[in-house]
Amino acid sequence: DARVTQTPRHKVTEMGQEVTMRCQPILGHNTVFWYRQTMMQGLELLAYFRNRAPLDDSGMPKDRFSAEMPDATLATLKIQPSEPRDSAVYFCASGLSDGYTFGSGTRLTVV
Amino acid sequence: QQQVKQSPQSLIVQKGGIPIINCAYENTAFDYFPWYQQFPGKGPALLIAIRPDVSEKKEGRFTISFNKSAKQFSLHIMDSQPGDSATYFCAASIGNFGNEKLTFGTGTRLTIIP
């Protein structure tokens, strides 16, 4: 079964540190999404790419978050500096048509 | 902010019963409506999806009913099993190829008791 791979699965960091999350989308999928899940806000779109070009990053706090796709096999989400309110599960998903596949997420805790 | 409103927040059903989860939307431009199932520690997984040209879609024990005029859609799970216990999210997007950004409902935590 093809799957979206996210690393790391868990990350605990101190406030102010840089955090980088990585995602390997399913080969052949042309659209990659970053979502964040919290109890309070549910699932929120942060950014997404099609054919590696950013389409929408309006859900992302631009002063501290950045998302990139350096190549078709890698998407990254970076937070610098991290804050306790960034604690959440970050999901990457990829798709081509008829819905998309989520990874298992990176659980980020900022203390 | 485009919204999708989902209810109930939680649901407990006896095994074999038919849980029903409802969603309502405002934006008439939405034209793709998937349901996702999420188990603890996992990402959401696509369960079933419908486009507004049909009023019902069935896949196995899962059925989506869609009411375009009322801007509502619902998920029914037939012959529910304890293994169906999970959180269910409805969602909607504009662009019916199924690979556009989704607006998610707030989720329903479903528990099926033996």
Side-chain angles (χ1 to χ4, degrees), chain B residues 1-68:
Chain B
Q1 174 91 19
Q2 299 169 348
Q3 283 191 338
V4 176
K5 295 181 181 177
Q6 183 171 347
S7 62
Q9 192 171 356
S10 63
L11 186 57
I12 300 174
V13 173
Q14 200 125 25
K15 176 185 171 185
I18 305 175
I20 300 172
I21 304 171
N22 300 297
C23 284
Y25 63 96
E26 291 296 324
N27 189 346
T28 54
F30 284 144
D31 55 5
Y32 177 77
F33 303 90
W35 285 88
Y36 281 80
Q37 178 189 56
Q38 186 178 27
F39 292 106
K42 301 291 187 183
L46 179 64
L47 200 55
I48 186 173
I50 197 167
R51 291 177 171 85
D53 52 341
V54 296
S55 60
E56 186 175 278
K57 183 172 181 181
K58 186 174 181 180
E59 284 185 5
R61 296 183 296 107
F62 300 93
T63 299
I64 300 179
S65 297
F66 184 80
N67 185 330
K68 189 173 180 178

Side-chain angles (χ1 to χ4, degrees), chain A residues 20-96:
Chain A
T20 298
M21 290 169 268
R22 292 177 173 81
C23 168
Q24 182 177 1
I26 292 172
L27 190 64
H29 283 186
N30 68 346
T31 310
V32 176
F33 303 83
W34 284 104
Y35 283 87
R36 175 170 65 183
Q37 186 174 37
T38 60
M39 289 296 293
M40 293 301 295
Q41 300 297 326
L43 279 158
E44 305 173 279
L45 177 72
L46 295 174
Y48 78 113
F49 298 79
R50 180 153 298 136
N51 298 320
R52 295 177 55 204
L55 284 189
D56 186 345
D57 62 1
S58 59
M60 212 162 61
K62 305 259 193 337
D63 57 335
R64 298 185 301 108
F65 284 59
S66 62
E68 295 180 347
M69 275 204 76
D71 62 62
T73 65
L74 177 65
T76 62
L77 180 67
K78 190 174 295 187
I79 308 174
Q80 167 64 20
S82 57
E83 297 180 2
R85 59 180 167 151
D86 300 330
S87 297
V89 181
Y90 291 80
F91 288 106
C92 174
S94 72
L96 184 62

Side-chain angles (χ1 to χ4, degrees), chain A residues 2-21:
Chain A
R3 59 179 183 161
V4 175
T5 303
Q6 289 186 248
T7 56
R9 287 296 314 275
H10 302 274
K11 176 74 176 178
V12 180
T13 191
E14 290 186 349
M15 181 174 64
Q17 295 298 305
E18 177 178 299
V19 175
T20 298
M21 290 169 268

